[in-house]
Amino acid sequence: IEIRSTTNLPARGISMHRAAGRSAAWARERRGATLQEAIAAIAIATVVLVAATQMLGTIARQHRLFECRSLATLEAGNIMEQVMARPWAEVTSEKLAAITLSDACRQMLPGARLQLQVTPEGSTEEARRIGVQIDWQHAASQQGKPVRLVAWRFRKEGMEP
């Protein structure tokens, strides 16, 4: 029997049964993935999952630090606004000692601490340098980078010292 085929099998002397048997044996050998391929796939998936988990943890930490810093900056700005709205005679370190952080700031920033500093500028004390600094602790008892605002307040003409 001669078989004329468009496959790459030689046409002479090979029966359909024999040709089919060879491809069936080859298919039995290559059915499914080998153990080495499965282990390699699991290892790659594990590395990807560990990297993704670490990256998400880092992103969450950075987001928390950003929120804390934003809140501290807003609080420092509000305190500076309170100080600048006071009369000239009340802008002293002693009188500003009564200013405290808001409840929301104390709750969101663990170990938050406010420092107000008023320094006379010039020999005639026509200006005062006002510094507001907020420090706090973040995870693992590490000190957060403090937020500092500085402003100068000038005495208006005709005001008493």
Side-chain angles (χ1 to χ4, degrees), residues 83-105:
V83 170
M84 296 303 270
R86 289 178 178 232
W88 176 259
E90 290 184 25
V91 182
T92 63
S93 294
E94 297 79 28
K95 294 200 177 182
L96 296 180
I99 296 176
T100 61
L101 294 171
S102 68
D103 292 336
C105 185

Side-chain angles (χ1 to χ4, degrees), residues 70-89:
S70 294
L71 178 63
T73 302
L74 181 65
E75 185 74 12
N78 289 341
I79 291 170
M80 184 64 79
E81 190 174 332
Q82 288 176 21
V83 170
M84 296 303 270
R86 289 178 178 232
W88 176 259

Side-chain angles (χ1 to χ4, degrees), residues 17 19 26 36 66 130 142:
H17 178 67
W26 181 81
Q36 291 93 2
F66 173 76
I130 304 161
Q142 295 177 357

Side-chain angles (χ1 to χ4, degrees), residues 19-141:
R22 259 209 297 204
S23 56
W26 181 81
R28 265 182 263 145
E29 291 174 14
R30 287 297 303 158
R31 196 175 296 162
T34 64
L35 182 59
Q36 291 93 2
E37 290 170 338
I39 291 172
I42 291 171
I44 290 170
T46 302
V47 167
V48 168
L49 285 174
V50 167
T53 303
Q54 288 178 346
M55 186 172 54
L56 287 175
T58 301
I59 289 170
R61 246 186 330 277
Q62 291 297 322
H63 182 69
R64 172 74 177 131
L65 289 174
F66 173 76
E67 284 180 341
C68 289
R69 189 151 184 83
S70 294
L71 178 63
T73 302
L74 181 65
E75 185 74 12
N78 289 341
I79 291 170
M80 184 64 79
E81 190 174 332
Q82 288 176 21
V83 170
M84 296 303 270
R86 289 178 178 232
W88 176 259
E90 290 184 25
V91 182
T92 63
S93 294
E94 297 79 28
K95 294 200 177 182
L96 296 180
I99 296 176
T100 61
L101 294 171
S102 68
D103 292 336
C105 185
R106 281 192 301 251
Q107 288 175 352
M108 293 292 293
L109 299 176
R113 192 169 52 112
L114 172 66
Q115 295 177 7
L116 286 167
Q117 184 179 18
V118 179
T119 309
E121 293 282 321
S123 60
T124 60
E125 290 192 31
E126 292 296 317
R128 293 181 180 156
R129 181 181 182 270
I130 304 161
V132 176
Q133 179 173 322
I134 298 177
D135 295 314
W136 70 94
Q137 302 268 326
H138 60 85
S141 299

